[in-house]
């Protein structure tokens, strides 16, 4: 399997989501991967959750060895990059904008 760029990032995001869903951990199954960005040294994983952001991030980091092993089985990477988890607040931002528009329309 030879993937590059956006196709590789998309594949990683899908596999990451599958790993979290199948994990025997109820906290991980509540997390949604929104996107990933891959550079030579870092894999930035953007996630969202409706639970506590910090608790979810801690759970991701504590499960990192399991996640890395699971990802490494299926990905064509010679060297596995450092993984960084970043909370994606785009949903909350969009909701705030939507609420403001509704508020304006009600006046």
């Amino acid at each position: 399997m030879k993937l590059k760029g956006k196709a590789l990032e998309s594949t990683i995001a899908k596999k990451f989501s599958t790993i979290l869903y199948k994990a025997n951990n109820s906290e991980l199954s509540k997390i949604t991967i929104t996107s990933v960005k891959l550079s030579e040294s870092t894999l930035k994983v953007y996630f969202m959750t409706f639970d506590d952001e910090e608790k979810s991030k801690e759970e991701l980091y504590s499960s990192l060895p399991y996640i890395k092993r699971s990802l490494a089985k299926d990905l064509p990477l010679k060297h596995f990059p450092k993984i960084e988890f970043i909370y994606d607040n785009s949903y909350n931002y969009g909701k705030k904008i939507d609420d403001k528009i509704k508020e304006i329309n009600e006046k």
Side-chain angles (χ1 to χ4, degrees), residues 53-104:
E53 168 192 342
E54 286 305 313
K55 183 178 178 184
S56 295
K57 189 181 273 192
E58 287 173 17
E59 194 64 39
L60 284 165
Y61 278 112
S62 70
S63 301
L64 201 51
Y66 165 76
I67 293 168
K68 279 181 131 176
R69 273 193 315 275
S70 299
L71 282 174
K73 288 181 200 173
D74 298 325
L75 295 176
L77 301 174
K78 291 180 183 178
H79 303 286
F80 210 86
K82 174 186 167 204
I83 296 178
E84 182 180 335
F85 295 106
I86 302 164
Y87 182 72
D88 182 353
N89 65 354
S90 60
Y91 174 80
N92 295 337
Y93 182 72
K95 185 168 178 359
K96 283 181 185 177
I97 291 174
D98 192 45
D99 290 344
K100 291 284 184 189
I101 291 171
K102 286 179 183 175
E103 183 181 314
I104 291 169

Side-chain angles (χ1 to χ4, degrees), residues 15-66:
K15 290 191 181 298
F16 218 108
S17 294
T18 301
I19 290 166
L20 296 182
Y21 178 74
K22 289 183 176 180
N24 196 12
N25 182 323
S26 62
E27 292 301 318
L28 290 179
S29 64
K30 297 175 187 176
I31 297 170
T32 300
I33 302 303
T34 56
S35 67
V36 299
K37 300 292 179 209
L38 179 64
S39 70
E40 285 187 30
S41 61
T42 308
L43 175 62
K44 293 182 178 180
V45 179
Y46 295 85
F47 73 96
M48 64 176 285
T49 183
F50 292 110
D51 282 347
D52 180 64
E53 168 192 342
E54 286 305 313
K55 183 178 178 184
S56 295
K57 189 181 273 192
E58 287 173 17
E59 194 64 39
L60 284 165
Y61 278 112
S62 70
S63 301
L64 201 51
Y66 165 76

